[in-house]
Amino acid sequence: MDKIKAFGHKSPDTDSTLAPIVYSWYQKQLGVEVIPHVLGEPNKEALFVLGKFKVDKPEILTDINPNDEIVILDTSNPDELPEGINKAEILEIVDHHKLAGGLSTPAPIKITVRPVACTMTILYELVERDGLLDKLPNDIAGLMLAAILSDTLLFTSPTTTDRDKEVSERLEKITGIDMKELAEEMFDAKSDLTGMSASMILLSDSKIYELACKKVRVAVLETTKPENALNMKEELLEAMVKLKDNEDLEMMFFFVVDILKSESTLLVSNEEEKEIAAAAFNKEFKEEILLLPGVISRKKQMVPNIERAID
Ligand SMILES: [Mn+2]
């Protein structure tokens, strides 16, 4: 029989790249063999973390076969998963996002969705529940800590809960790693745009939503050096127009998030988007740019505000 495959969402970020590895370690302790996968090339931050803890990059999953047994992590949204996902045999979902609907299974499955900032916080709770904390190896604990730091932007994101902080502190003790130092190294890795085209930048952390019946892409670049991206403004705007055309999108919003200042700069490429964004955040544009102090979370701030404005 084929082995169980675990993976996160498309355009894998640090959580979606590393959670399958941690989940596979966890299942191995329970006597179940699970192979970690990713649905695309991980971002630079995730690759940095894999290198730092000397862990192999999960294999890239290209397609899903109808009888594959799969575990879905860090999403439950079919738009962020391969086509044909409902034909596979979904065994389990572990996630920390809102329920988008659309997945269906012929029989009951295990679903763990908790309102925390990162899949790893939930995986830690499952490992703890099953009495496996003593067995947690340093590298696996390090991956968990790194993903929480990434999803919470070192606890500055409004998605952060007390639970994420508590778990991080325990992981810091287990690994002996200074989490501020680790976060700094990760954010530096993520801010390096060398070798990336405008469209790669737009797609590296990017999700498509159906907002008030409109197909909208909300792309984010978390960085400590926003000027690296903003210097490419013209190319980025051009690439946004092309992407909307290719993907039949009605709108696209690109937020360059300054991790250190906890603010974002929003780029949009037409008048309609400008109006929506100005209404969403109650601010005026200067050129094609809108500066948004305090706006750093796609899930809690960007998407709900845009959705309200479109509506
Ligand atoms: Mn996540």
Side-chain angles (χ1 to χ4, degrees), residues 10 48 119 130 133 141 147 156 169 184 203-204 212 214 266 270 274 276 300 307:
K10 288 182 194 168
F48 164 78
T119 308
D130 291 345
L133 275 185
T156 60
E169 275 156 23
E184 209 170 292
L203 291 173
S204 71
K214 288 189 193 294
L266 171 59
N270 70 31
K274 263 192 201 178
I276 295 283
K300 283 232 163 168
E307 184 164 31

PDB file of all heavy atoms in Angstrom, residues 10 48 119 130 133 141 147 156 169 184 203-204 212 214 266 270 274 276 300 307:
ATOM      1  N   LYS A  10      -0.816  25.497  -1.181  1.00  0.00           N
ATOM      2  CA  LYS A  10       0.006  25.931  -2.317  1.00  0.00           C
ATOM      3  C   LYS A  10       0.804  27.177  -1.917  1.00  0.00           C
ATOM      4  O   LYS A  10       0.454  27.834  -0.956  1.00  0.00           O
ATOM      5  CB  LYS A  10      -0.887  26.290  -3.508  1.00  0.00           C
ATOM      6  CG  LYS A  10      -1.539  25.101  -4.194  1.00  0.00           C
ATOM      7  CD  LYS A  10      -2.349  25.638  -5.387  1.00  0.00           C
ATOM      8  CE  LYS A  10      -3.302  24.604  -5.936  1.00  0.00           C
ATOM      9  NZ  LYS A  10      -4.267  25.201  -6.876  1.00  0.00           N
ATOM     10  N   PHE A  48      15.661  28.477   4.487  1.00  0.00           N
ATOM     11  CA  PHE A  48      16.670  28.820   5.491  1.00  0.00           C
ATOM     12  C   PHE A  48      16.504  27.947   6.739  1.00  0.00           C
ATOM     13  O   PHE A  48      17.467  27.412   7.278  1.00  0.00           O
ATOM     14  CB  PHE A  48      16.586  30.313   5.869  1.00  0.00           C
ATOM     15  CG  PHE A  48      17.308  30.623   7.140  1.00  0.00           C
ATOM     16  CD1 PHE A  48      18.690  30.742   7.159  1.00  0.00           C
ATOM     17  CD2 PHE A  48      16.617  30.740   8.344  1.00  0.00           C
ATOM     18  CE1 PHE A  48      19.367  30.977   8.349  1.00  0.00           C
ATOM     19  CE2 PHE A  48      17.280  30.972   9.538  1.00  0.00           C
ATOM     20  CZ  PHE A  48      18.665  31.092   9.537  1.00  0.00           C
ATOM     21  N   THR A 119      -0.215  26.359  12.684  1.00  0.00           N
ATOM     22  CA  THR A 119      -0.490  24.919  12.756  1.00  0.00           C
ATOM     23  C   THR A 119       0.378  24.246  13.816  1.00  0.00           C
ATOM     24  O   THR A 119      -0.047  23.307  14.488  1.00  0.00           O
ATOM     25  CB  THR A 119      -0.209  24.258  11.387  1.00  0.00           C
ATOM     26  OG1 THR A 119      -0.905  24.980  10.367  1.00  0.00           O
ATOM     27  CG2 THR A 119      -0.657  22.807  11.371  1.00  0.00           C
ATOM     28  N   ASP A 130      -0.640  13.429  23.670  1.00  0.00           N
ATOM     29  CA  ASP A 130      -0.295  12.017  23.528  1.00  0.00           C
ATOM     30  C   ASP A 130       0.949  11.630  24.332  1.00  0.00           C
ATOM     31  O   ASP A 130       1.499  10.539  24.142  1.00  0.00           O
ATOM     32  CB  ASP A 130      -0.111  11.678  22.039  1.00  0.00           C
ATOM     33  CG  ASP A 130      -1.450  11.738  21.298  1.00  0.00           C
ATOM     34  OD1 ASP A 130      -2.501  11.744  21.978  1.00  0.00           O
ATOM     35  OD2 ASP A 130      -1.453  11.794  20.066  1.00  0.00           O
ATOM     36  N   LEU A 133       5.992  14.653  24.470  1.00  0.00           N
ATOM     37  CA  LEU A 133       6.894  15.812  24.544  1.00  0.00           C
ATOM     38  C   LEU A 133       8.326  15.416  24.894  1.00  0.00           C
ATOM     39  O   LEU A 133       9.283  16.004  24.381  1.00  0.00           O
ATOM     40  CB  LEU A 133       6.375  16.828  25.575  1.00  0.00           C
ATOM     41  CG  LEU A 133       5.326  17.829  25.093  1.00  0.00           C
ATOM     42  CD1 LEU A 133       5.036  18.823  26.196  1.00  0.00           C
ATOM     43  CD2 LEU A 133       5.761  18.538  23.821  1.00  0.00           C
ATOM     44  N   ALA A 141      11.594  20.263  17.313  1.00  0.00           N
ATOM     45  CA  ALA A 141      11.171  21.388  18.164  1.00  0.00           C
ATOM     46  C   ALA A 141      11.584  22.716  17.528  1.00  0.00           C
ATOM     47  O   ALA A 141      10.835  23.703  17.573  1.00  0.00           O
ATOM     48  CB  ALA A 141      11.782  21.242  19.561  1.00  0.00           C
ATOM     49  N   ALA A 147       8.248  28.029  12.773  1.00  0.00           N
ATOM     50  CA  ALA A 147       6.981  28.286  12.082  1.00  0.00           C
ATOM     51  C   ALA A 147       6.095  29.228  12.892  1.00  0.00           C
ATOM     52  O   ALA A 147       5.419  30.094  12.330  1.00  0.00           O
ATOM     53  CB  ALA A 147       6.251  26.973  11.810  1.00  0.00           C
ATOM     54  N   THR A 156       4.096  39.862  16.752  1.00  0.00           N
ATOM     55  CA  THR A 156       3.568  41.200  16.482  1.00  0.00           C
ATOM     56  C   THR A 156       2.241  41.140  15.722  1.00  0.00           C
ATOM     57  O   THR A 156       1.500  42.110  15.683  1.00  0.00           O
ATOM     58  CB  THR A 156       4.567  42.065  15.675  1.00  0.00           C
ATOM     59  OG1 THR A 156       4.826  41.400  14.424  1.00  0.00           O
ATOM     60  CG2 THR A 156       5.874  42.255  16.422  1.00  0.00           C
ATOM     61  N   GLU A 169       7.664  29.660  24.136  1.00  0.00           N
ATOM     62  CA  GLU A 169       8.584  29.711  25.287  1.00  0.00           C
ATOM     63  C   GLU A 169       9.035  28.309  25.695  1.00  0.00           C
ATOM     64  O   GLU A 169      10.204  28.088  26.024  1.00  0.00           O
ATOM     65  CB  GLU A 169       7.913  30.423  26.468  1.00  0.00           C
ATOM     66  CG  GLU A 169       8.082  31.929  26.360  1.00  0.00           C
ATOM     67  CD  GLU A 169       7.014  32.702  27.118  1.00  0.00           C
ATOM     68  OE1 GLU A 169       6.407  32.149  28.052  1.00  0.00           O
ATOM     69  OE2 GLU A 169       6.781  33.874  26.747  1.00  0.00           O
ATOM     70  N   GLU A 184      15.161  36.890  13.722  1.00  0.00           N
ATOM     71  CA  GLU A 184      15.921  37.872  12.946  1.00  0.00           C
ATOM     72  C   GLU A 184      16.566  37.209  11.720  1.00  0.00           C
ATOM     73  O   GLU A 184      16.496  37.731  10.610  1.00  0.00           O
ATOM     74  CB  GLU A 184      17.003  38.462  13.848  1.00  0.00           C
ATOM     75  CG  GLU A 184      17.394  39.873  13.498  1.00  0.00           C
ATOM     76  CD  GLU A 184      18.285  40.465  14.589  1.00  0.00           C
ATOM     77  OE1 GLU A 184      17.772  40.695  15.714  1.00  0.00           O
ATOM     78  OE2 GLU A 184      19.480  40.641  14.313  1.00  0.00           O
ATOM     79  N   LEU A 203       3.786  36.078  -6.248  1.00  0.00           N
ATOM     80  CA  LEU A 203       3.176  34.766  -6.008  1.00  0.00           C
ATOM     81  C   LEU A 203       3.753  34.030  -4.812  1.00  0.00           C
ATOM     82  O   LEU A 203       3.247  32.985  -4.425  1.00  0.00           O
ATOM     83  CB  LEU A 203       3.324  33.895  -7.265  1.00  0.00           C
ATOM     84  CG  LEU A 203       2.474  34.362  -8.444  1.00  0.00           C
ATOM     85  CD1 LEU A 203       2.803  33.565  -9.694  1.00  0.00           C
ATOM     86  CD2 LEU A 203       0.990  34.254  -8.121  1.00  0.00           C
ATOM     87  N   SER A 204       4.798  34.593  -4.196  1.00  0.00           N
ATOM     88  CA  SER A 204       5.486  33.813  -3.160  1.00  0.00           C
ATOM     89  C   SER A 204       4.626  33.652  -1.898  1.00  0.00           C
ATOM     90  O   SER A 204       4.741  32.661  -1.204  1.00  0.00           O
ATOM     91  CB  SER A 204       6.846  34.425  -2.839  1.00  0.00           C
ATOM     92  OG  SER A 204       6.671  35.634  -2.154  1.00  0.00           O
ATOM     93  N   ALA A 212     -17.185  38.730  -1.768  1.00  0.00           N
ATOM     94  CA  ALA A 212     -18.444  39.292  -2.254  1.00  0.00           C
ATOM     95  C   ALA A 212     -18.625  38.939  -3.736  1.00  0.00           C
ATOM     96  O   ALA A 212     -18.881  39.805  -4.575  1.00  0.00           O
ATOM     97  CB  ALA A 212     -18.481  40.807  -2.024  1.00  0.00           C
ATOM     98  N   LYS A 214     -16.510  38.173  -5.952  1.00  0.00           N
ATOM     99  CA  LYS A 214     -15.458  38.570  -6.890  1.00  0.00           C
ATOM    100  C   LYS A 214     -14.190  37.776  -6.609  1.00  0.00           C
ATOM    101  O   LYS A 214     -13.858  37.510  -5.454  1.00  0.00           O
ATOM    102  CB  LYS A 214     -15.158  40.069  -6.767  1.00  0.00           C
ATOM    103  CG  LYS A 214     -16.267  40.922  -7.330  1.00  0.00           C
ATOM    104  CD  LYS A 214     -15.820  42.379  -7.384  1.00  0.00           C
ATOM    105  CE  LYS A 214     -16.978  43.327  -7.633  1.00  0.00           C
ATOM    106  NZ  LYS A 214     -17.611  43.211  -8.940  1.00  0.00           N
ATOM    107  N   LEU A 266       0.563  49.332   0.463  1.00  0.00           N
ATOM    108  CA  LEU A 266      -0.297  48.606  -0.463  1.00  0.00           C
ATOM    109  C   LEU A 266      -0.109  49.126  -1.878  1.00  0.00           C
ATOM    110  O   LEU A 266      -0.132  50.331  -2.117  1.00  0.00           O
ATOM    111  CB  LEU A 266      -1.759  48.776  -0.027  1.00  0.00           C
ATOM    112  CG  LEU A 266      -2.844  48.267  -0.976  1.00  0.00           C
ATOM    113  CD1 LEU A 266      -2.692  46.784  -1.263  1.00  0.00           C
ATOM    114  CD2 LEU A 266      -4.225  48.539  -0.404  1.00  0.00           C
ATOM    115  N   ASN A 270      -5.144  49.720 -10.550  1.00  0.00           N
ATOM    116  CA  ASN A 270      -6.173  50.492 -11.275  1.00  0.00           C
ATOM    117  C   ASN A 270      -7.049  51.307 -10.323  1.00  0.00           C
ATOM    118  O   ASN A 270      -6.948  51.174  -9.101  1.00  0.00           O
ATOM    119  CB  ASN A 270      -6.998  49.598 -12.212  1.00  0.00           C
ATOM    120  CG  ASN A 270      -7.918  48.652 -11.454  1.00  0.00           C
ATOM    121  OD1 ASN A 270      -8.398  48.952 -10.358  1.00  0.00           O
ATOM    122  ND2 ASN A 270      -8.169  47.499 -12.053  1.00  0.00           N
ATOM    123  N   LYS A 274      -8.078  51.125  -6.229  1.00  0.00           N
ATOM    124  CA  LYS A 274      -7.728  52.266  -5.363  1.00  0.00           C
ATOM    125  C   LYS A 274      -8.915  52.670  -4.509  1.00  0.00           C
ATOM    126  O   LYS A 274      -8.793  52.891  -3.306  1.00  0.00           O
ATOM    127  CB  LYS A 274      -7.335  53.472  -6.228  1.00  0.00           C
ATOM    128  CG  LYS A 274      -5.867  53.651  -6.419  1.00  0.00           C
ATOM    129  CD  LYS A 274      -5.610  55.022  -7.035  1.00  0.00           C
ATOM    130  CE  LYS A 274      -4.255  55.024  -7.694  1.00  0.00           C
ATOM    131  NZ  LYS A 274      -3.954  56.301  -8.345  1.00  0.00           N
ATOM    132  N   ILE A 276     -11.592  50.871  -3.713  1.00  0.00           N
ATOM    133  CA  ILE A 276     -11.912  49.813  -2.737  1.00  0.00           C
ATOM    134  C   ILE A 276     -10.935  49.885  -1.553  1.00  0.00           C
ATOM    135  O   ILE A 276     -11.335  49.841  -0.386  1.00  0.00           O
ATOM    136  CB  ILE A 276     -11.822  48.412  -3.402  1.00  0.00           C
ATOM    137  CG1 ILE A 276     -12.888  48.263  -4.481  1.00  0.00           C
ATOM    138  CG2 ILE A 276     -11.904  47.312  -2.355  1.00  0.00           C
ATOM    139  CD1 ILE A 276     -14.284  48.002  -3.977  1.00  0.00           C
ATOM    140  N   LYS A 300      -6.600  38.622   9.480  1.00  0.00           N
ATOM    141  CA  LYS A 300      -7.400  39.399  10.440  1.00  0.00           C
ATOM    142  C   LYS A 300      -7.684  40.823   9.984  1.00  0.00           C
ATOM    143  O   LYS A 300      -8.593  41.466  10.490  1.00  0.00           O
ATOM    144  CB  LYS A 300      -6.671  39.447  11.792  1.00  0.00           C
ATOM    145  CG  LYS A 300      -6.791  38.157  12.568  1.00  0.00           C
ATOM    146  CD  LYS A 300      -7.298  38.421  13.985  1.00  0.00           C
ATOM    147  CE  LYS A 300      -7.807  37.143  14.594  1.00  0.00           C
ATOM    148  NZ  LYS A 300      -8.045  37.260  16.026  1.00  0.00           N
ATOM    149  N   GLU A 307     -12.988  42.789   1.939  1.00  0.00           N
ATOM    150  CA  GLU A 307     -14.284  42.157   1.682  1.00  0.00           C
ATOM    151  C   GLU A 307     -15.435  43.108   2.043  1.00  0.00           C
ATOM    152  O   GLU A 307     -16.398  43.250   1.292  1.00  0.00           O
ATOM    153  CB  GLU A 307     -14.408  40.849   2.487  1.00  0.00           C
ATOM    154  CG  GLU A 307     -15.686  40.095   2.180  1.00  0.00           C
ATOM    155  CD  GLU A 307     -15.666  38.647   2.641  1.00  0.00           C
ATOM    156  OE1 GLU A 307     -14.987  38.371   3.666  1.00  0.00           O
ATOM    157  OE2 GLU A 307     -16.306  37.805   1.995  1.00  0.00           O
TER     158      GLU A 307
END
